[in-house]
Amino acid sequence: MANSASGMAVQDECKLKFLELKAKRNYRFIVFKIEGQQVVVEKLGSPEESYDNFTASLPVNECRYAVFDFDFITDENCQKSKIFFIAWSPETSKVRMKMLYASSKDRFKRELDGIQVELQATDPSEMSLDIVKGRAL
């Protein structure tokens, strides 16, 4: 379970909640954080919550991982959805924290089967709704 490179474990709850988001659509988003030597669920967003609710739940000066279930309508007028993995690493966070999140990201992402788009953001403008829409289409 632990990653040999960073020694990071992923709590089973992370995978279970992600499966619920993907298969049952129980959540709009999930925010994960590294606590001690493992990745844990920090916040679950209900299906009614918006992208603004999601971005507001990311701390200003701490790194996080997150998944967001983005619903959109294609140019052909089809309702679709894509699951985004977002690596949030604000400029104001501590260097050590940024390094920890960066070194553990790929290992954690591999645990979440079904990620369709990945975004890395160091400030809110890098993950604006327009950017997310552009990456989804």
Side-chain angles (χ1 to χ4, degrees):
M1 187 186 224
N3 175 2
S4 58
S6 68
M8 196 57 56
V10 177
Q11 219 177 42
D12 285 342
E13 185 193 14
C14 296
K15 292 180 262 189
L16 292 170
K17 296 299 180 193
F18 177 74
L19 286 172
E20 289 178 25
L21 176 143
K22 184 173 88 168
K24 300 179 188 163
R25 310 203 64 192
N26 288 0
Y27 311 107
R28 174 65 55 201
F29 63 85
I30 308 171
V31 178
F32 304 95
K33 74 184 220 175
I34 295 175
E35 207 167 69
Q37 284 297 304
Q38 63 179 350
V39 180
V40 299
V41 172
E42 181 179 53
K43 182 173 179 15
L44 298 166
S46 69
E48 303 78 47
E49 293 198 60
S50 69
Y51 191 73
D52 288 338
N53 298 131
F54 163 65
T55 56
S57 64
L58 295 172
V60 180
N61 56 1
E62 286 184 19
C63 301
R64 290 294 185 269
Y65 301 126
V67 287
F68 186 84
D69 187 6
F70 181 63
D71 293 325
F72 61 99
I73 295 175
T74 65
D75 295 337
E76 295 81 39
N77 214 23
C78 295
Q79 178 74 39
K80 290 217 170 172
S81 152
K82 285 213 172 151
I83 297 174
F84 278 73
F85 178 88
I86 297 167
W88 172 243
S89 184
E91 296 285 342
T92 53
S93 59
K94 294 185 174 106
V95 171
R96 186 180 168 98
M97 180 181 272
K98 286 189 235 188
M99 288 171 57
L100 178 63
Y101 274 79
S103 67
S104 306
K105 180 184 67 137
D106 289 337
R107 159 80 168 89
F108 177 58
K109 206 174 89 180
R110 276 197 301 274
E111 296 285 337
L112 308 178
D113 185 37
I115 299 289
Q116 294 161 302
V117 184
E118 180 182 340
L119 268 184
Q120 295 193 30
T122 57
D123 82 36
S125 69
E126 294 177 354
M127 52 181 266
S128 69
L129 196 52
D130 288 341
I131 288 173
V132 170
K133 281 179 185 164
R135 293 289 302 274
L137 294 171

